[in-house]
């Protein structure tokens, strides 16, 4: 069994979290056990650590990437 640690903001609903887990299963396989961690520094979005890889879809990172893209 593989483990995915999902950091979320407290304001993410359980329904949204369940949909996120379902999407991760569809993309990476159904042999994943999920651990949810609330991260008080997240304004929104989520960060997943799976198989040693970090997938950062936090609002902060998305805005940072947008700023970089606009500046280039």
């Amino acid at each position: 069994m593989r483990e995915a640690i999902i950091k979320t903001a407290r304001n993410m609903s359980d329904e949204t979290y369940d949909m996120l887990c379902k999407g991760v299963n569809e993309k990476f396989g159904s042999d994943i056990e999920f651990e949810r961690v609330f991260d008080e520094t997240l304004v929104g979005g989520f960060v997943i650590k799976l198989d040693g890889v970090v997938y950062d879809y936090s609002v902060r990172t998305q805005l940072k990437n947008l700023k970089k893209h606009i500046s280039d």
Side-chain angles (χ1 to χ4, degrees):
M1 180 73 63
R2 296 157 47 201
E3 182 180 44
I5 299 171
I6 302 179
K7 294 182 181 181
T8 69
R10 284 225 179 256
N11 63 359
M12 179 182 281
S13 71
D14 290 339
E15 182 179 309
T16 301
Y17 176 76
D18 290 342
M19 289 186 335
L20 174 60
C21 292
K22 182 179 177 186
V24 171
N25 278 329
E26 289 174 1
K27 183 166 178 91
F28 296 103
S30 60
D31 62 335
I32 299 170
E33 183 175 309
F34 296 97
E35 177 184 349
R36 184 177 187 176
V37 176
F38 293 110
D39 186 337
E40 300 300 330
T41 67
L42 291 177
V43 175
F46 56 91
V47 179
I48 301 172
K49 184 173 182 183
L50 175 64
D51 296 332
V53 179
V54 176
Y55 302 91
D56 189 341
Y57 294 97
S58 64
V59 170
R60 178 178 289 124
T61 298
Q62 299 303 312
L63 289 173
K64 188 174 167 184
N65 291 340
L66 180 61
K67 181 180 178 183
K68 182 179 176 185
H69 179 71
I70 292 172
S71 300
D72 291 344

